[in-house]
Amino acid sequence: MELHDVWFVLIAVLWTGYFFLEGFDFGVGVLTKLLARNRAEKRVLINTIGPVWDGNEVWLLTAGGATFAAFPEWYATLFSGFYLPLLVILVCLIVRGVAFEYRVKRPEERWQRNWETAIFWTSLLPAFLWGVAFGNIVHGVKIDRDLEYVGSVWDLLNPYALLGGLVTLTLFTFHGTVFTALKTVGEIRERSRILALRVGLVTAVLALAFLAWTQVDSGDGKSLAALVVAVAALVVALVANQAGREGWSFALSGVTIVAAVAMLFLTLFPNVMPSTLNADWSLTVTNASSSPYTLKIMTWLAAVATPVVLLYQGWTYWVFRKRIGTQHIAEPAH
């Protein structure tokens, strides 16, 4: 296996880790409107991801940086062609971080309600737009002979990509719902399990349609196996949720995300951005990659740094592993 193939796999792993981890905290952000009934319950939801949400975003920074260094042509075409949706995602992530920190800085009802609304929308929009972006990456976009995107933003809003956006939105919301059930106690835990069933059923229908479309369009035997794993894991996650096994349900919803992302990258390889104008103009792991020397240096650095980062983040989740409820929420001191 060539180094550019290795880095394609590593970037796929980074995006998978990002969607697994950031997926549930996007879902929790959406639940601040769908599940919480009062201010205390909103604080419970936000506190479940409070210690980890910023660490989850490190996976996005690493995935973007790795793409820039390993596949500069891919990075340039992607970020120039998808400029507007990626800008919206970036603004949402900035506002979302500010909202988490500023929400409790003042006691006024209107102040806190506005920041909570910001958390909801800046969780919902990226969850949807990431699906749209990856739908277009896999399905292909208008790339010319100079390896540049020549379409418009409206070309990105095609039926396949919009379906992908709905899948990521519902799947992340389901992932966040089972995470909430795993991390909370009392009434909010029970309502999370009920909502997880409803969201999960919608997710199953949308995900099956999207993955089947992907398989028919550009799949093979490996992608078909990933499709089966994704759908089966989602179904078993729903069963585990109904049985009150929140840990298994969360793990299996994570398996669904991992298998679904793996399927997308399996159907994409060896392309990194297919061209719908001419297959010969597609960006591939070969024509979009950096020099072998650059990839070699990056591989050594990744081999040293990655285990350290994984151990530290795993330790963070272990420290904040306990369940919380409204009884653990102290009255704000102002």
Side-chain angles (χ1 to χ4, degrees):
M1 180 181 287
E2 300 290 337
L3 279 179
H4 51 65
D5 297 332
V6 172
W7 273 97
F8 178 86
V9 174
L10 291 176
I11 288 171
V13 170
L14 289 170
W15 280 110
T16 302
Y18 174 67
F19 288 144
F20 180 96
L21 296 171
E22 189 86 307
F24 71 74
D25 71 49
F26 280 149
V28 171
V30 173
L31 293 179
T32 57
K33 288 286 188 183
L34 300 183
L35 184 65
R37 292 178 175 175
N38 52 50
R39 180 59 34 76
E41 290 188 351
K42 289 182 180 180
R43 291 178 63 188
V44 168
L45 290 174
I46 294 171
N47 285 356
T48 62
I49 59 173
V52 297
W53 68 268
D54 49 353
N56 295 343
E57 291 186 355
V58 171
W59 288 78
L60 172 62
L61 299 176
T62 309
T67 304
F68 171 78
F71 299 101
E73 286 284 356
W74 185 12
Y75 182 92
T77 304
L78 175 65
F79 278 77
S80 60
F82 293 22
Y83 180 81
L84 184 58
L86 292 179
L87 177 63
V88 172
I89 291 174
L90 177 61
V91 171
C92 284
L93 295 180
I94 293 172
V95 174
R96 189 167 179 264
V98 173
F100 282 134
E101 300 298 331
Y102 273 52
R103 188 182 63 86
V104 294
K105 296 300 183 182
R106 289 171 56 178
E108 291 88 348
E109 174 79 14
R110 183 178 179 182
W111 171 273
Q112 296 190 6
R113 185 175 63 252
N114 287 341
W115 285 119
E116 288 162 359
T117 301
I119 290 172
F120 169 76
W121 285 109
T122 56
S123 298
L124 185 148
L125 286 175
F128 175 74
L129 289 175
W130 279 127
V132 173
F134 270 83
N136 280 290
I137 291 173
V138 173
H139 196 60
V141 291
K142 295 179 179 179
I143 298 175
D144 65 9
R145 66 174 66 251
D146 296 321
L147 306 182
E148 295 180 359
Y149 178 72
V150 293
S152 68
V153 68
W154 303 111
D155 293 322
L156 303 178
L157 303 178
N158 55 80
Y160 177 82
L162 292 174
L163 178 59
L166 291 176
V167 170
T168 52
L169 175 58
T170 55
L171 181 55
F172 290 170
T173 303
F174 173 71
H175 197 41
T177 308
V178 294
F179 176 78
T180 300
L182 176 65
K183 287 288 293 179
T184 58
V185 295
E187 185 183 351
I188 194 170
R189 175 188 177 190
E190 297 303 320
R191 283 191 277 113
S192 296
R193 289 171 53 193
I194 295 172
L195 183 59
L197 176 62
R198 297 171 182 172
V199 176
L201 291 174
V202 175
T203 302
V205 173
L206 293 174
L208 181 59
F210 178 74
L211 296 179
W213 189 344
T214 305
Q215 178 65 25
V216 171
D217 191 43
S218 55
D220 57 13
K222 294 178 181 178
S223 62
L224 179 60
L227 184 157
V228 172
V229 171
V231 174
L234 182 56
V235 172
V236 180
L238 287 169
V239 174
N241 174 73
Q242 288 301 101
R245 303 297 296 271
E246 291 98 345
W248 280 105
S249 184
F250 176 72
L252 288 164
S253 70
V255 171
T256 301
I257 293 174
V258 171
V261 177
M263 180 187 177
L264 295 182
F265 276 94
L266 285 169
T267 58
L268 186 61
F269 185 82
N271 294 321
V272 293
M273 283 188 75
S275 172
T276 57
L277 300 179
N278 189 323
D280 293 335
W281 299 343
S282 298
L283 290 169
T284 68
V285 293
T286 304
N287 65 17
S289 68
S290 294
S291 67
Y293 180 75
T294 300
L295 296 177
K296 184 177 180 180
I297 297 298
M298 289 175 60
T299 303
W300 280 110
L301 291 174
V304 173
T306 303
V308 176
V309 174
L310 291 176
L311 286 172
Y312 176 77
Q313 192 163 27
W315 175 78
T316 303
Y317 277 92
W318 175 256
V319 169
F320 295 101
R321 66 189 183 276
K322 293 184 178 180
R323 295 177 182 266
I324 62 173
T326 53
Q327 66 270 30
H328 301 117
I329 302 299
E331 289 296 325
H334 291 287

